[in-house]
Amino acid sequence: MEVIILSSPEEASEVAARLVARQVREKPESVLGLATGGTPCKLYQLLARMHRARGLDFSKVTTFNLDEYIGLDPSHPASYHRFMEENFFSNVNIARERIHIPDGLAHDVPAHCAAYEKAIHEAGNIDLQILGLGSDGHLGFNEPGSSLASRTRIKTLTERTRDDNARFFTDGQEVPHHVITMGLGTIMESRMCLLLAFGKGKAQAVAASVEGPVTASVPGSLLQFHPRAKVLIDTEAASLLTRANYYQWVYKNKPTWQIDL
Ligand code: F6R
């Protein structure tokens, strides 16, 4: 796990955008795992700018989103289909047929989840997975207590996550209780994970994920077992880390042979 502490969410998003851009340039047919929510918005803006200004080409890229609410139509303003369309897909040249997002309206959810897993496998597995972190430590919508080996399936959101996400729903609209999410086992098969977390509200979950014991009670902690996980956080999200000074020193003094940014 490489912990990179940056001065602001903007700076962290710039580092993340450079990593994603490098992945796509080195392997134009990359398979990207994508997250929604407030955290990756700036990253998607920067990637769209790189596409417009510098011709970063997504035409051969395949994408798989982490999750979707059950019961929301893709056109619903709070659906992750709509989020991705507005924040990323409409601003770059990803081929429509290579975009995958779990279907919140699937009639047979277990069959849909199995097909989603199969599609990831047939695409050659995810090269780079972008992740946010729930204030309760969730990854994707794998809430605390999720099996560490879980695959794409239905999950029930905690009240805390429903409260956190209420900001994306207009007054009177209920945040769904159920979601389809990639499993922790699915996420762990990605070749590289980029976890982004910003702000004081994430500090506890970051500290537990990075420096706490690996436990299903904090799904983010499973990344300690990932061979190539980078944690990009701002100083507020890093505020409860006991080794923050060490991580900062390591990042500033990376030997040239180790620099991959
Ligand atoms: C979203 C997802 C979630 C979010 C997490 C943080 O696709 O899988 O794990 O990344 O809930 O959300 P924000 O970024 O809104 O704080």
Side-chain angles (χ1 to χ4, degrees), residues 67 132-146 155-165 167 179 184 195 197 200-209 215-222:
D67 36 30
L133 185 65
S135 63
D136 64 359
H138 69 225
L139 277 190
F141 273 141
N142 295 281
E143 295 286 27
S146 292
K155 279 297 289 182
T156 306
L157 295 179
T158 59
E159 279 312 298
R160 182 166 182 182
T161 299
R162 292 184 65 243
D163 285 349
D164 284 350
N165 287 6
R167 69 192 196 279
V179 293
L184 291 170
L195 176 72
K200 270 210 162 12
K202 299 292 172 74
Q204 223 164 10
V206 165
S209 298
T215 167
S217 297
V218 184
S221 67
L222 184 58

Side-chain angles (χ1 to χ4, degrees), residues 24 27-30 32 57-63 94-95 98:
V24 171
K27 184 179 175 188
E29 67 287 358
S30 287
L32 301 181
D57 182 14
F58 291 90
S59 64
K60 297 194 178 79
V61 162
T62 297
T63 65
I94 294 180
R98 281 197 281 274

